[in-house]
Amino acid sequence: MVSPLSHSPADIDAVIFDYNGVIGLQPTTPMWSGLAELAGWRTEDLTHFQTTFWSAREPYDSGAFDDTDFWTAVLGRRPEPALLTRLRAVDTALWTRTDHRVVALLQQARRADLPMVLLSNAPHPVGDALDASEWRGLMTDALYSARLGMNKPHPDTYRNALAATGVHDPSRVMFIDDRPENCEAAAQLGLQTLHYTGSPADIEKHLDLRAGRLTASSS
């Protein structure tokens, strides 16, 4: 979705990007199955594994759970150190594959010298891995929920990201996320929003790089 604008097109002075589902690719079923198998779950129980995984993910993303807390909740027992290391590595790999088509758009925006901030619900290992990625240097700043101590759609996550852009007027900032509830929360604070559904063409449609700056598309 794109939040209603008071005028269109409107100048965009900065963009806040979600990671997973926008810049980052979603895990494939084989990747999920590999993680479940490593965690000791049977292949036929993949859906149950994913339900258990997500039920413990919110406190892990917010930093309330550390690695051991999270995987103890998923496994139903405390993992031994070697297994914990493997689980953390495989889990991080699931969430750090990038969509190179979107990265190409980031490069275009960077050449326009416009602030771009990453705002992601991510535990510490994922945030650390993203910070080490090649494309991370395209971003002005990166904010991760585990470091903030709160997850989207908490309003303060957007306030922190807005402050990181250096733009004071939220109506001049575009927020892009694949989850409608996150976009709705951002819109409540006055940010322009784009609900991203997997096509980089949608970003190109609503963000037009012309004359060295971003503008919200009137189409």
Side-chain angles (χ1 to χ4, degrees), residues 151-164:
N151 299 327
K152 291 178 294 185
H154 193 291
D156 284 346
T157 61
Y158 306 102
R159 294 187 180 106
N160 277 278
L162 180 63

Side-chain angles (χ1 to χ4, degrees), residues 176-195:
I176 302 174
D177 198 292
D178 67 321
R179 298 182 66 89
E181 62 270 28
N182 291 340
C183 289
E184 291 164 6
Q188 289 293 318
L189 295 177
L191 292 157
Q192 298 185 48
T193 64
L194 170 61
H195 175 212

Side-chain angles (χ1 to χ4, degrees), residues 3 6 73 83 88 134 167 173 175 188 190 204-205 213 217:
S3 59
S6 59
L83 177 59
R88 181 172 55 235
E134 291 184 2
V167 178
V173 177
F175 172 70
Q188 289 293 318
E204 290 185 300
K205 177 181 178 182
R213 62 185 302 131
S217 171

